Amino acid sequence: MEGFGLIFGLKEKLQNTTIDTAQNPEVTGWITSTFLLGCVVGAAVSGVLTDSIGRRFSILIGSLLFVIGGAMQTGASVIGVLYAGRVVSGGGVGLMSAAVPLYIAETAPTETRGRLISIYQLMVTFGILIASCVNAAILSTLTGELEWRLAMGMQIIPAAILLLLIIILPFSPRWLVAKKRDAEALTVLARLRNAPEKSEVVQTEFRGIKQEQDEEDAAGSVSWLELLQKGVRMRVFLGSMLQLFQQWTGINVILYYAATLFTNMGFSMTDSSVTFVVVNAAINFIATFPGMWLVERIGRTKLMIGGGLLMGLSHCLICLFIGLTPRLPSLSWGAVIFIYVFTIAFAASWGPVVWVYQSEIFPINCRAKGTSICTISNWAWNAIIAKITPIFFRQISFYTYLIFGGMGFVMAAFVFFFVPETEGKSMEEMDKVFGRVPQTKASLEKDIPLRGFENFAAMRELDNLPAEKYRE
């Protein structure tokens, strides 16, 4: 957007043309980085906020921050205000990215929990699609300052709607139990299950929540360092690693640099910045639907393994087709097709499933803190990859896709060997899935034939072994 670039020093007029300024790359990098920095900070404070004031009020604060940040960006006339608005908006997004999946996980029935958390990712992809369509319409109809200010201002609308709707939603029943508000928790649970408070389904689930909370209370409050205790640290590690791998799929490279990628393949600026980007956003949205269905059909781990393999293969083929394009230009369409195949694979697997997994695995007393750490991993690696990817493309060009392709195969192997299946398990049953983690891999491999860490129930039997079996 020319008007945006001229105001904030990204572009300058030279005779009858507009060119990039020398500081364009630095300013563009800071516009992206300040938002991601805010996301990291928002995710970091989510562990404290969601425990102290609740998941519901945390979402309300997050949406309010996004509205304020969006207004600052829309009205900005100097670069400092724009940066500040990006940080504030990022703080809201980081906070909500931890609180929203957590809220859904704690209010959803066990049998549909994965599908309902997947709606979170579905709405993210829907927002990307709407933003792509709005930007395409603005670019083709408006010019000047109104062009970019309208685009900035449009982001406030969904945040304002969320701000109003969250007011009428109930608190998480599990958070209410943790705060000793049992009567209110039972009422909310009955409302969520659309059943009387004395019905068997409501009473059974309520007793399960109470039992877990009583056990957690007996163990004492959980500090941040106590997330490293046996039976919890592996969950923190798995959640953080899955978020790391989600970013190393390369999805944000495709989303952030889509127009540049298509232009470098030889397509026109109009097709690259409008047509192909909107089509990719539409595919990203539509492909999330099969993921929502499959997550409760074939489980979390199989979906991530299959998705990782297909994404890895897609990246390798994108690299191949781009490499052959100079000799046979029509092969650039092969690269476009496999960018879309990659998007389908991501949207149906690692897009929604990682958020499902991290939101359901932690015990109630450290659920907010564990989710916070995992979400920090997501945004921190998002920022790192956004910063280093342009360097990769400058140094090794299209071979950069091989890095992400290799990571696709690595993440599939990681899930196969180390990630246990949680599909069909209630949140109160996760200790049975994970149990206590043995301290030496040698003792585990000697005494129990496992596929990675899948048989966590068997691991718990090791708790009765002599102390020398464990490494402190």
Side-chain angles (χ1 to χ4, degrees):
M1 296 182 177
E2 183 177 295
F4 180 85
L6 291 172
I7 287 179
F8 296 111
L10 298 171
K11 296 181 180 295
E12 61 182 354
K13 288 283 188 180
L14 185 62
Q15 295 179 349
N16 294 325
T17 62
T18 303
I19 62 172
D20 292 342
T21 60
Q23 63 265 33
N24 182 301
E26 181 181 357
V27 175
T28 301
W30 276 111
I31 290 173
T32 301
S33 299
T34 48
F35 176 78
L36 295 175
L37 174 63
C39 291
V40 172
V41 174
V45 302
S46 67
V48 176
L49 279 180
T50 52
D51 266 346
S52 59
I53 66 174
R55 289 63 161 135
R56 177 181 169 222
F57 283 148
S58 295
I59 297 171
L60 188 148
I61 291 174
S63 57
L64 180 60
L65 286 173
F66 193 86
V67 169
I68 294 171
M72 292 173 66
Q73 294 171 69
T74 303
S77 296
V78 295
I79 195 67
V81 176
L82 180 68
Y83 287 158
R86 298 288 287 172
V87 172
V88 173
S89 289
V93 170
L95 176 56
M96 289 188 289
S97 65
V100 171
L102 183 59
Y103 178 82
I104 298 172
E106 291 189 342
T107 55
T110 299
E111 60 273 13
T112 58
R113 184 179 62 239
R115 190 171 297 125
L116 290 174
I117 299 175
S118 297
I119 293 177
Y120 164 79
Q121 180 65 19
L122 177 71
M123 291 297 100
V124 171
T125 62
F126 181 66
I128 293 171
L129 174 60
I130 295 299
S132 299
C133 293
V134 168
N135 284 338
I138 291 174
L139 286 170
S140 60
T141 57
L142 299 177
T143 58
E145 197 169 321
L146 178 61
E147 179 186 44
W148 69 268
R149 291 197 188 277
L150 180 60
M152 288 287 189
M154 292 291 286
Q155 66 182 318
I156 298 174
I157 296 175
I161 293 173
L162 176 60
L163 184 62
L164 296 174
L165 291 179
I166 195 64
I167 296 174
I168 65 174
L169 294 179
F171 289 103
S172 159
R174 288 171 170 84
W175 179 80
L176 289 170
V177 169
K179 296 300 180 181
K180 310 304 179 188
R181 294 158 63 175
D182 291 1
E184 190 176 350
L186 182 60
T187 301
V188 169
L189 190 62
R191 175 185 168 190
L192 290 169
R193 301 298 175 259
N194 195 28
E197 292 183 16
K198 295 183 178 180
S199 64
E200 182 64 25
V201 63
V202 172
Q203 287 294 323
T204 299
E205 185 172 357
F206 183 73
R207 285 194 297 268
I209 297 171
K210 278 289 294 177
Q211 180 181 350
E212 185 195 16
Q213 184 61 54
D214 290 342
E215 292 172 355
E216 295 291 339
D217 289 343
S221 61
V222 178
S223 69
W224 288 93
L225 288 179
E226 287 172 331
L227 290 174
L228 300 178
Q229 66 185 335
K230 295 176 182 178
V232 177
R233 60 182 174 232
M234 180 55 70
R235 304 184 217 194
V236 175
F237 171 72
L238 290 177
S240 299
M241 286 299 295
L242 291 179
Q243 289 288 13
L244 177 155
F245 282 128
Q246 188 196 61
Q247 293 306 307
W248 275 102
T249 60
I251 182 60
N252 285 321
V253 175
I254 302 296
L255 295 178
Y256 291 164
Y257 304 108
T260 302
L261 296 177
F262 290 127
T263 301
N264 291 342
M265 293 177 194
F267 294 100
S268 69
M269 181 61 70
T270 301
D271 286 339
S272 298
S273 60
V274 178
T275 307
F276 290 154
V277 171
V278 171
V279 169
N280 190 62
I283 290 173
N284 192 23
F285 171 65
I286 295 170
T288 306
F289 284 98
M292 293 171 56
W293 180 75
L294 290 171
V295 72
E296 300 292 3
R297 290 285 180 170
I298 66 174
R300 284 68 158 145
T301 57
K302 290 179 181 178
L303 201 52
M304 286 191 286
I305 292 169
L309 293 174
L310 185 54
M311 286 187 293
L313 178 62
S314 296
H315 276 302
C316 292
L317 290 174
I318 291 168
C319 179
L320 175 64
F321 282 118
I322 292 177
L324 295 174
T325 295
R327 299 179 184 178
L328 192 60
S330 61
L331 288 180
S332 60
W333 282 102
V336 173
I337 289 171
F338 278 98
I339 284 178
Y340 292 156
V341 171
F342 161 82
T343 301
I344 292 171
F346 175 85
S349 60
W350 282 79
V353 175
V354 172
W355 294 106
V356 172
Y357 200 86
Q358 80 160 38
S359 300
E360 65 188 4
I361 60 176
F362 291 103
I364 190 169
N365 272 16
C366 61
R367 188 170 294 147
K369 294 182 177 68
T371 300
S372 173
I373 290 176
C374 297
T375 307
I376 291 172
S377 175
N378 176 283
W379 290 112
W381 283 106
N382 190 328
I384 291 170
I385 293 171
K387 192 69 175 177
I388 65 177
T389 297
I391 299 173
F392 285 164
F393 275 108
R394 282 197 301 269
Q395 296 296 323
I396 60 175
S397 187
F398 59 87
Y399 290 107
T400 300
Y401 290 103
L402 293 181
I403 297 176
F404 294 109
M407 290 300 292
F409 298 125
V410 170
M411 67 184 68
F414 178 84
V415 173
F416 180 83
F417 286 109
F418 300 115
V419 179
E421 181 58 67
T422 57
E423 186 266 328
K425 303 293 184 182
S426 73
M427 299 184 77
E428 288 67 45
E429 292 177 318
M430 290 302 166
D431 280 343
K432 298 178 182 178
V433 176
F434 290 90
R436 294 179 63 194
V437 181
Q439 298 296 301
T440 61
K441 186 177 179 181
S443 65
L444 175 62
E445 293 174 343
K446 177 179 177 181
D447 297 329
I448 299 178
L450 298 176
R451 180 177 72 81
F453 289 98
E454 183 174 278
N455 195 346
F456 278 83
M459 286 183 184
R460 299 191 70 189
E461 297 178 8
L462 294 181
D463 288 347
N464 297 322
L465 291 178
E468 57 267 20
K469 283 281 189 177
Y470 296 95
R471 183 184 70 230
E472 293 300 324

